[in-house]
Amino acid sequence: MGLAGRLFKGDRSVWIIFMLLCLVSLVEVYSATSTLAYRNTYFWTPIVRHATFLLMGFAAVLLLHNIPSRYYFVAILLLPLSIIMLIVTPFIGVSANEAHRWLSFMGIQFQPSEFAKLACIVFIAFMMSKQERFTPGRTFWIVWSGAGLTCLLILPENFSTAFLLFLVSFLMMIIGQAPWKKMTLLFLSLALTGSLSYALIRSVPDDFADKYMPKRAATWVGRIRDFGKDRSENKYVIDNDNYQVAHAKIAIARGGLFGKLPGRSLQRDVLPQAYSDFIYAIIIEEMGLLIGGVGVMLLYIFLMFRVAIIARRCEKLFPKYLALGCGLLIVIQAFMNMAVAVNLMPVTGQPLPLISRGGTSTMLTCFYFGIILSVSRFGAGMSDDEDTGEEEPAEPENTRETPPATAATPPAQDSAGSAGLQPDPPASDCNRPYQVGFGRIRTKMAGSAQKSRFSDWKYPDLIGNKDFPIENGQIHAKMVISNWI
């Protein structure tokens, strides 16, 4: 195994997707941060900062994918800590864009909601994997007590993140086979509440929200109303209400099929948050619809496809649900960002995972990739290592010497075809050219692993039962039913 094989373990396809997203991020953030570069004395500062976070995230992936996935349940301890941070953030948090989403600790700013998302996913995966210890109804209420409280605390300052976390939690519950009656009732209740809220927002007078509602609530109302506003008469007029969306559309239209090449975007200097919320529009302008638009989208789709394969190969429930939760969060957030850029949904402020410029979001996305790779390596066994799986340990080899070839013939078989049983043949004899007088196969299921048992060896002191592994329907150790090869 070469250096790359020893360094990059787990699912290689996920590694390739991770590297490609990092490459796109470096190129496009360097181009899209031109406005930030103009404001700094040292114009390399924005891209150096972003590259530093990517480098630290890469180191985190290397570390996390070497930790067995069964140990990640300890991240549940982040949930109460995240809840406490979310409670204090509106009071002592750092304000930016009329929202208190950041906390500052020793000069380092971070978003507690990002850590809350990770903790919530681990919590749901752990609880859904332990349903046999509780009744389904009790598990349902325990999960939604933690996830629901987290979403409610995130909601006032960051509606889109609360919605994203709730959607991922709901899908994880469905995958975990939560009680369908309770899930249906929850869905209908929330759908009815959302419909009534939307109707109420549409009926609010223009000046009522600004005068009598909190700033964040007024921002929600304004974005929702602007998204549903009929602009058929003034569709070419750019004002404060549609400024971001209009310039994102201009960037996409300029890009065409093949783009203007990296570094030649014009809208990056006009479009607010071109390096974060609307970086997908800049990607299409510079790299074109085919390579930039469809290519980046396919990377996230293929990531979800690989996560589904990893989850399917997992024998245990916790790593299965953990990988699916991390994959769903990354992919759904990516599609939310892309939908905003093409005006399919209101502006949300969600970054494009691993591509948009950011600190906490970049690091946490790398954490998700590290967890997925750990599950692929230890939970699904998708690695070149021989001892990385979470299977039961193999029995120690018997070092007993091979009996001489002149040993006596096996005893006669009874009417059922069975013979007297002696100690198991040594593992070191598995590849020797023995003739099997009678073979009996017994298969047992142990997750996805199967074992086959043979008896009645040629030599009387070798008569006995021995387990041999079967993978993909093939008997290993160069064995067939009637002969040793």
Side-chain angles (χ1 to χ4, degrees):
M1 185 187 299
L3 178 61
R6 294 194 299 269
L7 193 62
F8 306 114
K9 301 173 183 177
D11 187 67
R12 301 298 171 81
S13 298
V14 176
W15 272 113
I16 293 173
I17 295 171
F18 175 76
M19 297 295 185
L20 290 176
L21 290 176
C22 288
L23 179 62
V24 174
S25 178
L26 285 173
V27 173
E28 293 304 322
V29 170
Y30 175 70
S31 175
T33 52
S34 58
T35 55
L36 297 179
Y38 295 152
R39 303 172 189 171
N40 288 273
T41 305
Y42 185 59
F43 63 87
W44 288 100
T45 300
I47 187 59
V48 169
R49 176 186 180 275
H50 182 65
T52 302
F53 277 112
L54 283 178
L55 185 61
M56 291 190 299
F58 178 75
V61 174
L62 290 178
L63 173 65
L64 292 174
H65 95 294
N66 283 302
I67 300 176
S69 55
R70 62 179 179 270
Y71 295 128
Y72 282 113
F73 74 93
V74 298
I76 296 176
L77 300 176
L78 281 175
L79 187 61
L81 179 61
S82 299
I83 290 175
I84 294 174
M85 291 191 295
L86 289 172
I87 292 174
V88 303
T89 297
F91 304 101
I92 65 174
V94 178
S95 177
N97 297 326
E98 300 180 351
H100 293 80
R101 300 178 182 175
W102 289 266
L103 283 179
S104 180
F105 179 73
M106 298 180 63
I108 301 175
Q109 292 187 9
F110 60 93
Q111 295 189 55
S113 60
E114 295 293 333
F115 293 96
K117 289 192 296 184
L118 173 61
C120 200
I121 288 175
V122 177
F123 170 70
I124 296 174
F126 180 79
M127 290 304 303
M128 297 307 295
S129 66
K130 304 297 181 182
Q131 288 190 81
E132 71 278 359
R133 299 187 181 183
F134 308 96
T135 61
R138 186 178 180 185
T139 303
F140 175 86
W141 290 115
I142 292 175
V143 168
W144 282 116
S145 296
L149 177 60
T150 305
C151 293
L152 287 176
L153 292 174
I154 297 175
L155 180 65
E157 300 296 333
N158 198 339
F159 175 83
S160 59
T161 299
F163 174 78
L164 171 64
L165 180 58
F166 174 83
L167 180 58
V168 173
S169 303
F170 190 84
L171 292 176
M172 290 182 66
M173 292 285 288
I174 293 177
I175 295 172
Q177 299 180 352
W180 67 270
K181 290 184 178 179
K182 295 182 181 296
M183 296 295 292
T184 302
L185 182 61
L186 176 64
F187 174 77
L188 294 177
S189 301
L190 292 175
L192 179 61
T193 302
S195 301
L196 293 176
S197 300
Y198 180 76
L200 180 63
I201 289 173
R202 297 287 294 172
S203 62
V204 171
D206 294 339
D207 58 344
F208 180 83
D210 296 332
K211 291 182 179 180
Y212 303 103
M213 298 180 69
K215 290 184 177 180
R216 292 305 303 168
T219 301
W220 302 343
V221 172
R223 289 179 177 177
I224 294 175
R225 295 183 64 179
D226 292 339
F227 179 75
K229 185 181 295 185
D230 183 12
R231 290 185 173 271
S232 57
E233 296 182 357
N234 299 316
K235 60 182 178 179
Y236 298 113
V237 176
I238 300 177
D239 52 26
N240 291 332
D241 295 334
N242 69 337
Y243 186 84
Q244 291 177 307
V245 174
H247 283 285
K249 290 181 178 180
I250 294 173
I252 294 173
R254 287 193 73 252
L257 290 178
F258 304 104
K260 302 298 181 181
L261 298 181
R264 297 187 177 185
S265 170
L266 296 181
Q267 296 303 309
R268 64 184 180 180
D269 298 326
V270 182
L271 184 60
Q273 301 296 322
Y275 46 81
S276 179
D277 300 354
F278 289 90
I279 195 170
Y280 187 64
I282 304 301
I283 292 175
I284 296 178
E285 183 181 7
E286 294 189 345
M287 302 177 67
L289 182 62
L290 292 180
I291 299 177
V294 177
V296 171
M297 184 187 301
L298 288 178
L299 286 178
Y300 290 107
I301 293 175
F302 190 54
L303 173 64
M304 193 67 243
F305 176 73
R306 294 303 303 177
V307 169
I309 293 177
I310 292 170
R312 187 175 182 180
R313 295 187 181 182
C314 289
E315 297 180 9
K316 298 182 180 179
L317 294 178
F318 175 66
K320 180 195 298 285
Y321 298 147
L322 184 61
L324 286 172
C326 293
L328 285 171
L329 184 66
I330 294 173
V331 176
I332 293 177
Q333 179 177 328
F335 275 87
M336 287 178 64
N337 178 279
M338 290 184 281
V340 169
V342 298
N343 197 29
L344 291 179
M345 64 182 298
V347 178
T348 61
Q350 290 297 320
L352 192 59
L354 206 62
I355 293 182
S356 294
R357 178 181 181 270
T360 310
S361 61
T362 300
M363 292 297 300
L364 266 295
T365 303
C366 291
F367 287 179
Y368 299 137
F369 271 94
I371 292 173
I372 292 171
L373 288 167
S374 173
V375 172
S376 71
R377 181 184 175 191
F378 295 98
M382 301 170 67
S383 177
D384 294 335
D385 296 350
E386 295 181 357
D387 301 323
T388 55
E390 294 183 346
E391 305 288 342
E392 297 180 359
E395 296 181 0
E397 291 188 357
N398 190 345
T399 58
R400 181 164 56 90
E401 294 182 358
T402 306
T406 58
T409 57
Q413 301 169 4
D414 55 21
S415 59
S418 61
L421 301 181
Q422 299 294 334
D424 289 355
S428 60
D429 295 334
C430 288
N431 291 322
R432 293 186 178 272
Y434 294 136
Q435 296 290 331
V436 180
F438 171 77
R440 183 180 77 246
I441 299 178
R442 181 179 69 85
T443 59
K444 64 178 181 178
M445 298 302 298
S448 62
Q450 296 180 348
K451 295 182 179 179
S452 176
R453 175 163 291 184
F454 278 71
S455 63
D456 302 322
W457 295 72
K458 180 176 181 179
Y459 305 104
D461 59 336
L462 289 180
I463 295 174
N465 296 330
K466 186 66 180 177
D467 288 342
F468 297 98
I470 288 183
E471 295 180 2
N472 300 324
Q474 297 180 354
I475 304 174
H476 284 238
K478 299 180 181 179
M479 184 178 66
V480 293
I481 294 179
S482 61
N483 294 283
W484 286 103
I485 299 177

